Amino acid sequence: MLEMTREEFEELVAEALDRIPPELTRLMDNVAVFVEDEPPADDPELLGLYEGTPLTERGEWYAGVLPDRITIYRGPTLRMCASREDVVAETEITVVHEIAHHFGIDDARLHALGYG
C-alpha cells in the first residue's frame, strides 16, 4: 500500500476542491467535506460518499437542516493507487463525483462522463 499521512491526503482533497470552478462552488449550499481513514465495514472499497439532499430535490421545506456531508476515504484510495500521481488523480475524480451528487447528478451520468 502507498504511504501517505492523513495530513498529506487532506491537503490533496483541499487541492481538488480548489480546482472546482468558482462558478460551481458558489452554487454549493450547506455542504461540508470530510476525510476519514476507512469507509463503513460493509463497503471497504468505497472511495467517497455523499449524504444529504441534492440541490435538485430541495424545496420550501428545506430549512434549518444539518449540512450535507461529503466524505473522502483515505485507506481505499491509497490501496488502489500505485503512485502519488495516481492518488492525486483519483482524489480529484472522487471529489468531483461526490460534489456532482450534491448537484443531483446520478452515478449513471457520472460514469458516462468518466467520473465513475
Side-chain angles (χ1 to χ4, degrees):
M1 181 170 101
L2 187 66
E3 293 294 323
M4 181 178 289
T5 67
R6 182 172 174 136
E7 290 77 23
E8 289 173 302
F9 189 78
E10 287 174 349
E11 182 61 31
L12 292 181
V13 171
E15 290 170 5
L17 287 166
D18 287 344
R19 286 191 289 278
I20 302 295
E23 55 272 15
L24 291 179
T25 57
R26 279 193 294 273
L27 298 173
M28 293 173 64
D29 181 47
N30 200 32
V31 62
V33 179
F34 299 90
V35 169
E36 296 289 340
D37 287 330
E38 294 296 334
D42 63 337
D43 198 355
E45 296 180 9
L46 187 66
L47 302 179
L49 180 64
Y50 170 75
E51 300 170 286
T53 304
L55 295 176
T56 54
E57 296 178 16
R58 295 180 184 179
E60 295 294 322
W61 59 269
Y62 189 85
V65 299
L66 292 174
D68 292 2
R69 181 180 177 102
I70 292 174
T71 307
I72 308 299
Y73 297 106
R74 179 175 156 264
T77 304
L78 296 180
R79 286 191 291 275
M80 74 175 287
C81 294
S83 68
R84 180 177 173 80
E85 292 76 25
D86 290 346
V87 174
V88 170
E90 191 58 51
T91 301
E92 186 165 333
I93 289 168
T94 303
V95 167
V96 169
H97 182 108
E98 301 310 328
I99 288 173
H101 287 318
H102 176 67
F103 283 102
I105 301 171
D106 65 17
D107 280 331
R109 181 68 177 136
L110 285 168
H111 285 279
L113 293 171
Y115 290 97

